[in-house]
Amino acid sequence: MNDLGGAPVAPVLAIDGPGGAGKGTISRLVADRLGWHLLDSGALYRLVALDAIQRGVALDSEPGLADLASRLEARFLSADGNSRVLLNGVDVTDAIRSEAAGDGASRVAALPAVRRALIERQRAFRRAPGLVADGRDMAAVIFPDAGLKVFLTASVEERARRRHKQLKDKGIDVSLSALSRDMVERDRRDSERSIAPLKPGDDARILDTTGMDIPRVVDVVLQWAAERGLTT
Ligand code: C5P
């Protein structure tokens, strides 16, 4: 924790990693266990994309999208372990998880002006007693002073298996080998992109979760947070 003479700055635990590594689930569970706030930064990009689609703003119009992002009318509600997301007062919790919003999010997230427009909004999630920040540039750009930076990963096969199960639970049937191929391709694209590429920072602790169950991953992250003095 850092005190520059004003109010003490709330601690941040940043979690990044490739798709299927369990970032979202682990971030939520760690935040619950600590009683900290949660920033799901991917949801913000999904909201910008959905807002653009609803308003008919082209997904490659950088100034138009940056303008939308800076005025985004979004609220994150949480009660009894149940969280909802509102866009312009309408519940879009499920809509932002659609393929269209996900595809749109990856397009708008590649635009520097959109990323810039969301910086302060993301930093505003940092409030006492602490914040778990989930997403790509949490450690490098948004919270470079995060007390703990975790890069969660797992083998491609395991990540594809997890994604397969997630989709199956939702009643969506896709072949495991197709998912594996997609995952390799997405990893390559994500690691090679120049803006917010997918790679662990030098100061990140890497956790390979292959073969680990969810409670064990949560315990390791909590233990690392305690070792860094983020928690008591
Ligand atoms: O994590 P999620 O699937 O919700 O992210 C949606 C999209 O936004 C992905 O394409 C991801 O790469 C991008 N994203 C990003 N920076 C973040 C969070 C998500 O570029 N901090």
Side-chain angles (χ1 to χ4, degrees), residues 60-92:
D60 56 359
S61 155
E62 189 164 0
L65 291 165
D67 187 47
L68 269 193
S70 65
R71 292 186 291 113
L72 195 66
E73 185 59 49
R75 289 176 65 204
F76 293 83
L77 307 177
S78 184
D80 306 329
N82 184 9
S83 53
R84 312 300 301 172
V85 187
L86 304 188
L87 175 64
N88 303 313
V90 177
D91 190 328
V92 293

Side-chain angles (χ1 to χ4, degrees), residues 23 40-43 45-46 97 102 105-106 109 115 122 134-138 190 193 196:
K23 268 178 311 180
D40 170 3
S41 58
Y45 292 97
R46 289 169 179 271
R97 297 294 149 203
S106 89
R115 302 195 75 86
Q122 293 177 89
D134 159 10
R136 190 55 42 87
D137 55 353
M138 295 299 100
D190 279 4
R193 79 180 190 190

Side-chain angles (χ1 to χ4, degrees), residues 21-228:
K23 268 178 311 180
T25 306
I26 301 302
S27 298
R28 186 169 37 77
L29 291 170
V30 167
D32 282 352
R33 285 272 292 272
L34 293 173
W36 285 13
H37 300 281
L38 174 68
L39 166 58
D40 170 3
S41 58
L44 286 174
Y45 292 97
R46 289 169 179 271
L47 284 163
V48 173
L50 192 66
D51 205 17
I53 294 167
Q54 289 176 351
R55 292 177 192 270
V57 174
L59 290 180
D60 56 359
S61 155
E62 189 164 0
L65 291 165
D67 187 47
L68 269 193
S70 65
R71 292 186 291 113
L72 195 66
E73 185 59 49
R75 289 176 65 204
F76 293 83
L77 307 177
S78 184
D80 306 329
N82 184 9
S83 53
R84 312 300 301 172
V85 187
L86 304 188
L87 175 64
N88 303 313
V90 177
D91 190 328
V92 293
T93 314
D94 296 327
I96 59 166
R97 297 294 149 203
S98 68
E99 278 302 301
D103 276 2
S106 89
R107 291 173 63 182
V108 305
L111 303 171
V114 173
R115 302 195 75 86
R116 272 197 304 276
L118 292 176
I119 291 178
E120 288 314 318
R121 183 183 292 258
Q122 293 177 89
R123 289 187 177 148
F125 279 78
R126 182 178 202 166
R127 281 177 285 124
L131 175 70
V132 177
D134 159 10
R136 190 55 42 87
D137 55 353
M138 295 299 100
V141 178
I142 309 295
F143 303 110
D145 64 336
L148 174 63
K149 303 174 179 181
V150 176
F151 190 87
L152 282 187
T153 186
S155 68
V156 168
E157 295 74 24
E158 173 126 356
R159 289 189 285 125
R161 260 199 309 276
R162 290 178 188 168
R163 187 49 61 82
H164 187 250
K165 181 174 179 309
Q166 249 174 20
L167 292 171
K168 218 168 143 197
D169 289 347
K170 285 194 202 163
I172 305 170
D173 195 21
V174 236
S175 96
L176 188 57
S177 57
L179 271 180
S180 272
R181 270 198 310 277
D182 284 357
M183 216 141 234
V184 171
E185 176 56 25
R186 192 159 351 124
D187 283 358
R188 192 189 56 74
R189 237 187 8 242
D190 279 4
S191 322
E192 288 175 359
R193 79 180 190 190
S194 58
I195 185 160
L198 169 69
K199 62 169 178 357
D202 295 338
D203 52 355
R205 285 196 75 170
I206 300 175
L207 181 55
D208 185 340
T209 67
T210 310
M212 287 171 81
D213 63 11
I214 292 170
R216 172 86 189 114
V217 177
V218 171
D219 282 345
V220 171
V221 173
L222 288 173
Q223 186 193 323
W224 286 357
E227 284 168 17
R228 288 284 168 95

